[in-house]
Amino acid sequence: MSAPARKGLLTRLLELGALLGLFALMLGVDRLTGSLSGGWQRTGRDVAAIGFFLLAGTLASSLLEIVRLPHLTGFLLAGIVAGPQVLHAVDHQTVADLSVVNSLALSLIALAGGAELRLEAVRRGFRSLVAATVVQNGLALLVIPATFVLARDLVPFTRGMEMPAVFAVALLWGVVAITRSPSAVMGILSQARPAGRLTDFTVGFVMTSDVVVVVLLALVMTAVRPLLQPGATLSLAAFGDLGHELLGSVAIGTTLGLLLVAYLRFVGRQVLLVLLLLGLVVVDVVAYLRFEWLLTFLTAGFVVQNFSRQGETLLHAIENTGEVVYVVFFATAGAHLDLPLLGTLWPAALLFFAVRAATAVAGARLTARLAGDPPELRSWGWAGLVSQAGLALGIAERMQGQFPAFGAQFGALAVAAVALNELVGPVLFKLALDSSGESGKGGAPAGDGD
Amino acid sequence: MSTLQSLFVLLLVAYMGGFLMGGRGLRGRGLPSGSEWLVTGLVVGPSALGLVGGADVAHFAPLALLAAGWIALLVGLTFGVDRERRIGAIDVALGVFVGSLSFAGVAGAVYLVLARVPSAGALFPGPRERVAIAVCIGAALADTSRHVARWASERLGAEGPLLERVAGITRSDDIVPIAAMSLLISLDASRGVPAIPLAGFGLGGALGLSLAGLLGRSHRPVAFWSLLFGFSLLATGLAERLDLSVLGAGFSLGLFLAIASPLRARARELAGGVEGAIILPALFLAGARTEAVSAPALWILGAALLARLGTALVAAAVVAAVDPRARRGGPGLSLAFLSTGPLGIAIALSVNLRYPGPAGSLVLATTVAAALAGEFLGPPALRRALRRAGEVPP
């Protein structure tokens, strides 16, 4: 079991006191300096907010160990409570300023995800992965759009739409629903340090699911455009672009991986600086070239792990950096959560959350039967697939540009549904790793003493 | 490409440039004061090639703030110790003396030029402004780089009592510029915040004790790192928001943590481990922000450099008088005290951001000039002195 609660009552009280003191300090300074403005105030706010999120997230996650909740939930809760929707210890502008951490965090997550994909484990679980990819995505693309159509009365922006248009929007919603969260999975792995079939399967599925989502998104958008935009025709040009994007991403990722291998092998110093460079610059360069940077980083990590002896060195370096980055990333994500919106759209969001989770459970059972999976996969293979985060929101944002007529409301519903998945998913995955006995088998859990 | 991307690409160039200019290939240790980063910043900055614009560079205020806070934290954490060896009281006293001498000598020389040379004085006519400039330049040039002793130990394999003396002094003199800058900033009410003398030390001290309490005796690396980094950022950010001294807050955070926590050695190891990743970009930024100074300002710059040289000569003489072993290093030892380091650059950079305009530019340009001069003169002089003292293996 991961992160056993070894701390005494006094330590817990000290942590609680420090957490409350931190909130009081931030709010007090905010009150004292509320009338001041200028670039120096903004700089101070940003730097203090990163420190605050790091501390509040770390302390909240430590306190939540008592009830065996994952650290990630602690990071999110710290962000929600401190954020502009609740206590306003960190304001909207600061939360927006901190979004620069997102690309850094996601690049590290993709790099670590690729490095966790060991060829031997992929080969061993190949049958399960292929079966799950087909079953999970196929089932979700059937059940979730059908639910959307049936429950369209709960979705305000579909009122007044013709049935073919509702069907088209439902299919787009289906694509959003099949996105997973590599960040949540990696966040839990960094805490629980698990090893086993469930871990290998979840990492393999979630990391490769991004590619599946990108392909399906292009397919579905091409197919539904004529139903949503009168006068639009079915164009296959998008597939040429997609092929170019995917192949290019893999090629760049391979090159990047080889460069990383050479760096780690021959230099091996200031790896932190190189990771910062990758996360803050290479991400944008790859995106500027219109390649899929998550796939690029995934490939780079995969190359380092499987075609060199530097895989563990890379993972170790990412872990050291990632621990800090994850806390800030998820706390910022918590502060970003639009709670008033969730309050408005909760019936639809709750329904879609429940149906999506139930589909994942059913998909896991069916996959296990088809692929002959071991019991831990049969029971818990679905748990790591519930979390959603950045990719779902990214797709929703893209919809706003592509379909302005309903994109904004579609995006709002996605934010509400993702909020639920983001909060509940990590708890379920942690529970699954603990219950299947895989937690801690990959090394000392992060919350443990050493 | 965005500003951030440009900067990081250029940082990569600087990093690779560091290998070449350091002349040590892939060992990548570079020069003791990190001057290769300063030079690369100068070359690509608005004053030379203009690959990074002045407005672009201004976006990186958080980086400068972060570097200043982290350097001060390290200074506080390692105050009175050199690689877990306690520095003797004599070394601490000599360090404080050398730092005070450099500060007073340089600040006095700058003030004298401002008062006596009409063309220089016309640049900064206000008496308060003159005092502030003198204090800032004095503080930035008061520090002798701690890295110079480490460089001699790691690069030359040097060891012996003279090197220990130099290491002790260079580790102890940092407190002078930090105290001077903290006092100056806490008395400056130009941002509309009431002056509370040395409140930055109080904030950092309270946070340092809280951190020590939270760490307890347990040795959990992940939480340790998050807490150390988090408290440093919080102290830095809150000090800036309250217009307190970031250097003072960072220093006392480190000092109180080192005093109160049994895990001080681990904290030093962790904080020192990322020193390069935080400080080297700041050096690059300082280089990129450096502008050419006007002809009248050259009087001030020249006077500061001469005063620095003069105080180094006096400091070496005093050290030799106190410690007979130091005499074995010969007269070259005095130039060894010329190396100014990242702390001086961090001070100058934060002054440059706080007082944009001619005053900030002059302080930064003077400090960069002193760092480059010190880099060329300091390490070779130390090597000669150590060789003469028989502390460098043949």
Side-chain angles (χ1 to χ4, degrees):
Chain A
M1 302 295 272
S2 76
R6 288 183 189 170
K7 295 174 186 170
L9 180 66
L10 189 65
T11 308
R12 296 296 184 194
L13 286 174
L14 196 64
E15 286 176 346
L16 182 64
L19 185 60
L20 296 175
L22 272 176
F23 274 98
L25 187 63
M26 286 296 280
L27 291 168
V29 170
D30 211 36
R31 185 160 289 194
L32 276 174
T33 59
S35 59
L36 299 170
S37 59
W40 60 282
Q41 268 296 313
R42 176 61 35 220
T43 304
R45 273 176 195 273
D46 288 352
V47 173
I50 298 177
F52 170 76
F53 277 149
L54 202 47
L55 294 174
T58 304
L59 291 171
S61 65
S62 180
L63 287 167
L64 287 180
E65 280 176 6
I66 299 167
V67 285
R68 312 199 74 80
L69 281 175
H71 287 176
L72 206 151
T73 308
F75 308 156
L76 284 168
L77 284 178
I80 291 172
V81 176
Q85 316 282 355
V86 184
L87 288 183
H88 210 279
V90 178
D91 64 5
H92 275 294
Q93 183 58 46
T94 307
V95 173
D97 289 349
L98 296 190
S99 61
V100 70
V101 177
N102 291 357
S103 66
L104 176 62
L106 289 172
S107 65
L108 292 182
I109 285 160
L111 205 56
E116 292 281 2
L117 282 174
R118 290 170 176 87
L119 209 52
E120 191 193 323
V122 173
R123 276 200 200 112
R124 201 171 53 228
F126 188 71
R127 196 179 151 89
S128 301
L129 269 179
V130 172
T133 300
V134 173
V135 171
Q136 287 285 3
N137 294 319
L139 205 59
L141 280 176
L142 280 174
V143 175
I144 291 167
T147 310
F148 190 96
V149 171
L150 291 172
R152 61 185 179 278
D153 287 345
L154 291 175
V155 184
F157 64 86
T158 59
R159 287 174 202 147
M161 274 186 181
E162 298 289 326
M163 198 45 159
V166 174
F167 179 70
V169 176
L171 268 178
L172 290 172
W173 185 256
V175 177
V176 171
I178 61 167
T179 61
R180 317 292 169 183
S181 174
S183 51
V185 168
M186 297 310 294
I188 295 295
L189 294 193
S190 77
Q191 179 195 352
R193 311 283 162 97
R197 284 296 301 272
L198 177 61
T199 308
D200 290 342
F201 166 79
T202 308
V203 171
F205 183 91
V206 170
M207 291 300 158
T208 51
S209 75
D210 274 358
V211 185
V212 177
V213 170
V214 170
V215 174
L216 281 173
L217 180 66
L219 269 172
V220 171
M221 280 179 72
T222 306
V224 304
R225 194 177 296 279
L227 298 175
L228 292 166
Q229 293 174 335
T233 52
L234 197 66
S235 164
L236 297 179
F239 294 105
D241 293 343
L242 181 67
H244 167 255
E245 189 178 317
L246 293 180
L247 283 176
S249 306
V250 171
I252 291 184
T254 307
T255 311
L256 188 64
L258 293 173
L259 288 174
L260 265 174
V261 169
Y263 185 85
L264 292 168
R265 168 77 179 79
F266 295 111
V267 184
R269 298 171 64 88
Q270 304 288 6
V271 179
L272 174 62
L273 200 61
V274 173
L275 291 177
L276 288 174
L277 184 85
L278 288 174
L280 294 171
V281 181
V282 178
V283 165
D284 286 323
V285 173
V286 173
Y288 176 77
L289 296 171
R290 303 190 64 182
F291 292 117
E292 186 62 38
W293 61 267
L294 274 175
L295 181 58
T296 301
F297 279 82
L298 194 72
T299 310
F302 185 78
V303 167
V304 175
Q305 178 63 264
N306 294 290
F307 301 105
S308 78
R309 291 178 186 167
Q310 305 300 324
E312 292 311 311
T313 312
L314 177 68
L315 272 175
H316 186 63
I318 297 173
E319 268 171 26
N320 285 344
T321 317
E323 291 296 341
V324 171
V325 174
Y326 289 157
V327 185
V328 179
F329 173 69
F330 285 109
T332 311
H336 256 301
L337 281 184
D338 196 337
L339 295 181
L341 185 73
L342 185 60
T344 312
L345 292 172
W346 73 266
L350 193 63
L351 174 72
F352 293 131
F353 160 75
V355 172
R356 183 173 174 275
T359 308
V361 175
R365 295 280 156 87
L366 190 56
T367 303
R369 195 167 287 188
L370 290 173
D373 285 340
E376 62 268 28
L377 273 188
R378 201 160 43 237
S379 306
W380 295 106
W382 55 274
L385 316 186
V386 175
S387 296
Q388 273 189 306
L391 186 58
L393 298 177
I395 291 174
E397 206 173 289
R398 198 164 154 189
M399 298 293 173
Q400 295 185 35
Q402 296 283 328
F403 306 106
F406 63 88
Q409 296 98 315
F410 186 94
L413 183 61
V415 169
V418 166
L420 286 174
N421 289 319
E422 197 174 9
L423 283 170
V424 180
V427 179
L428 292 173
F429 185 42
K430 169 86 171 20
L431 179 71
L433 291 173
D434 287 348
S435 303
S436 63
E438 293 192 7
S439 289
K441 285 190 174 170
D448 229 347
D450 66 358
Chain B
M1 205 178 268
S2 76
T3 311
L4 194 66
Q5 292 156 11
S6 329
L7 186 86
F8 269 87
V9 167
L10 293 168
L11 280 174
L12 183 67
V13 175
Y15 184 41
M16 296 309 165
F19 289 143
L20 300 174
M21 293 179 67
R24 280 95 195 166
L26 295 178
R27 285 173 70 191
R29 284 177 186 165
L31 299 166
S33 299
S35 294
E36 66 271 36
W37 290 71
L38 275 175
V39 170
T40 314
L42 262 172
V43 170
V44 302
S47 303
L49 295 179
L51 294 175
V52 179
D56 292 342
V57 173
H59 284 117
F60 295 98
L63 189 63
L65 200 66
L66 188 68
W70 198 260
I71 291 171
L73 171 82
L74 266 171
V75 171
L77 268 172
T78 56
F79 189 72
V81 289
D82 176 31
R83 281 176 284 188
E84 298 313 313
R85 178 184 64 85
R86 280 190 76 83
I87 293 172
I90 294 176
D91 280 345
V92 174
L94 278 173
V96 173
F97 168 74
V98 169
S100 306
L101 184 71
S102 300
F103 169 71
V106 173
V110 169
Y111 190 81
L112 207 63
V113 168
L114 286 168
R116 295 289 170 87
V117 179
S119 61
L123 293 172
F124 308 103
R128 290 173 72 98
E129 197 180 13
R130 287 180 179 182
V131 170
I133 287 171
V135 169
C136 290
I137 295 179
L141 268 60
D143 158 56
T144 304
S145 175
R146 291 177 295 142
H147 296 279
V148 76
R150 201 170 82 187
W151 172 85
S153 164
E154 290 177 1
R155 187 71 57 77
L156 307 175
E159 57 180 347
L162 178 58
L163 183 64
E164 281 179 17
R165 180 69 77 200
V166 172
I169 292 170
T170 55
R171 281 195 177 269
S172 308
D173 65 354
D174 301 337
I175 194 169
V176 176
I178 288 176
M181 284 309 295
S182 299
L183 196 62
L184 178 76
I185 287 173
S186 60
L187 293 175
D188 174 13
S190 62
R191 284 175 168 176
V193 180
I196 312 171
L198 303 181
F201 281 101
L203 173 73
L207 291 176
L209 291 175
S210 307
L211 175 55
L214 275 173
L215 288 173
R217 293 181 174 278
S218 68
H219 196 269
R220 296 173 304 124
V222 172
F224 198 137
W225 177 230
S226 296
L227 292 175
L228 180 65
F229 198 43
F231 267 97
S232 168
L233 288 170
L234 191 71
T236 302
L238 292 184
E240 181 71 358
R241 288 191 69 186
L242 294 164
D243 199 27
L244 306 173
S245 166
V246 167
L247 289 166
F251 174 78
S252 67
L253 170 66
L255 185 67
F256 277 83
L257 177 63
I259 291 169
S261 173
L263 303 176
R264 56 186 75 85
R266 178 75 177 143
R268 287 182 193 122
E269 188 190 330
L270 282 175
V274 295
E275 189 183 9
I278 290 174
I279 292 171
L280 299 182
L283 290 173
F284 176 85
L285 186 61
R289 279 186 75 90
T290 303
E291 296 169 358
V293 294
S294 62
L298 280 175
W299 283 102
I300 304 167
L301 192 151
L305 294 187
L306 278 176
R308 182 75 174 89
L309 181 63
T311 56
L313 291 170
V314 175
V318 171
V319 171
V322 170
D323 181 3
R325 292 172 305 179
R327 286 177 213 149
R328 286 163 48 207
L333 184 63
S334 53
L335 291 181
F337 287 107
L338 265 185
S339 294
T340 54
L343 176 62
I345 295 291
I347 289 172
L349 194 54
S350 47
V351 169
N352 182 269
L353 291 164
R354 186 181 175 92
Y355 305 108
S361 296
L362 174 63
V363 174
L364 185 58
T366 307
T367 312
V368 168
L372 294 178
E375 192 81 280
F376 281 108
L377 298 172
L382 180 63
R383 183 168 49 212
R384 272 197 302 276
L386 291 171
R387 280 222 171 102
R388 197 173 152 151
E391 295 186 11
V392 176

